Amino acid sequence: MSTVLYSSPIFGPVRSRRLGISLGINLMPADGKICTFDCIYCECGRNAAHRPGLHRPSREDVRKALESRLQEMKAVGPEPNVLTFAGNGEPTAHPDFPGIVTDVLELRDRYFPEAQVSVLSNGTRIFDDEVFGALLRLDNNIQKLDTVNPEYIGLIDSPVGRYDVEKTIDRLCQFDGRVMIQTMFLTGTLDGRDMDNTGDAFVEPWIAALERIRPYRVFIYTVDRETPVSTLAKASAQVLDAIAARVREHGFETVVSY
């Protein structure tokens, strides 16, 4: 497969399916992947296949690189819609994530005050109070919830450490609606096992979890690039639209990316 690894600490801008023109902030090394999940669909590949040799960028590295890039964009464009914490692994796993959030918000306000600041996170660090507080300061606090089935989570997301989906949902509820949920729907197989999570057995309990969390937006998407597991496949637009319609019936704003 063709693996996508991102420059660090700044990459792009790229055109995001969900967020528009996005300037990426990668808090992981540029030459490998560090993540608290090991998702079988991740465009950055599996963790073990991409061990980095470089260190994470420091808080000062991020601040300097971001300011330089924003100055360039201010002078010659393009104007970003959003600054997004993403890249080669879980951004909130950086030990200085809360402080980096402070710096990014300050630079955003100085150069592009109309731009939003987002994070694409898997939710594994939301039990850290400082991380939780930093996430509340962002415009788009986007947290992953691919399913509520623990066995399926073990297969599709492959958490590196302990992960309790019920405790995670309880913690997501504590954002008091100031959170978005993103969910990957796909089909195909893993070692001969059906990996389709688009049926009622997965969708109904997932919607029940949304009712508890009360996110102000739900992102539904499917695989867009090659995946580390070649037997995975996209969910169809028709299926995604049907799931989205059910979510909207429960009153949630829903965005679908095909």
Side-chain angles (χ1 to χ4, degrees), residues 25 27-28 59 85-86 90-104 117-121 125 128 130-138 141 143:
I25 304 170
L27 303 185
M28 298 301 134
R59 175 179 176 178
F85 288 102
E90 173 54 37
T92 63
H94 193 291
D96 288 328
F97 179 75
I100 292 172
V101 165
T102 296
D103 296 341
V104 171
V117 179
S118 302
V119 65
L120 302 180
S121 174
R125 295 274 294 147
D128 182 298
E130 290 190 1
V131 169
F132 189 89
L135 291 168
L136 282 172
R137 300 173 64 197
L138 302 180
N141 170 25
Q143 300 292 325

Side-chain angles (χ1 to χ4, degrees), residues 14-220:
V14 299
R15 181 163 291 281
S16 166
R17 289 187 291 169
R18 286 157 284 177
L19 303 172
I21 298 175
S22 172
L23 184 65
I25 304 170
N26 175 21
L27 303 185
M28 298 301 134
D31 65 337
K33 181 186 172 193
I34 300 176
C35 196
T36 52
F37 271 6
D38 193 15
C39 300
I40 62 174
Y41 57 78
C42 181
E43 65 186 13
C44 297
R46 305 302 297 271
N47 293 348
H50 301 284
R51 301 291 187 194
L54 300 175
H55 295 291
R56 294 183 178 102
S58 69
R59 175 179 176 178
E60 185 62 12
D61 290 338
V62 177
R63 190 194 66 77
K64 287 182 177 179
L66 179 60
E67 181 161 29
S68 176
R69 189 72 178 95
L70 292 178
Q71 288 173 340
E72 178 184 350
M73 295 174 79
K74 193 73 174 177
V76 300
E79 183 172 331
N81 301 120
V82 63
L83 313 179
T84 305
F85 288 102
N88 304 339
E90 173 54 37
T92 63
H94 193 291
D96 288 328
F97 179 75
I100 292 172
V101 165
T102 296
D103 296 341
V104 171
L105 291 173
E106 179 181 299
L107 291 170
R108 183 276 308 270
D109 291 346
R110 185 184 309 169
Y111 292 100
F112 292 102
E114 299 303 314
Q116 297 189 326
V117 179
S118 302
V119 65
L120 302 180
S121 174
N122 61 29
T124 53
R125 295 274 294 147
I126 58 176
F127 296 95
D128 182 298
D129 288 340
E130 290 190 1
V131 169
F132 189 89
L135 291 168
L136 282 172
R137 300 173 64 197
L138 302 180
D139 300 294
N140 301 312
N141 170 25
I142 305 173
Q143 300 292 325
K144 177 194 298 290
L145 186 66
D146 286 337
T147 177
V148 301
N149 181 305
E151 182 181 7
Y152 189 84
I153 289 169
L155 294 171
I156 190 172
D157 296 322
S158 303
V160 173
R162 293 186 61 186
Y163 180 84
D164 186 318
V165 67
E166 281 301 315
K167 289 182 179 178
T168 298
I169 292 169
D170 287 343
R171 185 63 162 166
L172 290 169
C173 292
Q174 294 176 30
F175 282 118
D176 196 25
R178 295 168 64 186
V179 64
M180 303 183 191
I181 296 296
Q182 64 170 354
T183 299
M184 167 68 74
F185 287 102
L186 47 73
T187 63
T189 61
L190 173 67
D191 298 328
R193 176 170 181 155
D194 184 9
M195 293 302 294
D196 189 331
N197 66 336
T198 65
D200 286 348
F202 289 98
V203 173
E204 289 182 359
W206 169 75
I207 291 177
L210 296 180
E211 290 279 12
R212 290 167 56 190
I213 298 165
R214 307 304 302 175
Y216 65 92
R217 187 172 298 141
V218 177
F219 290 107
I220 292 173

Side-chain angles (χ1 to χ4, degrees), residues 3-14:
T3 298
V4 178
L5 289 175
Y6 293 94
S7 301
S8 181
I10 306 301
F11 64 92
V14 299

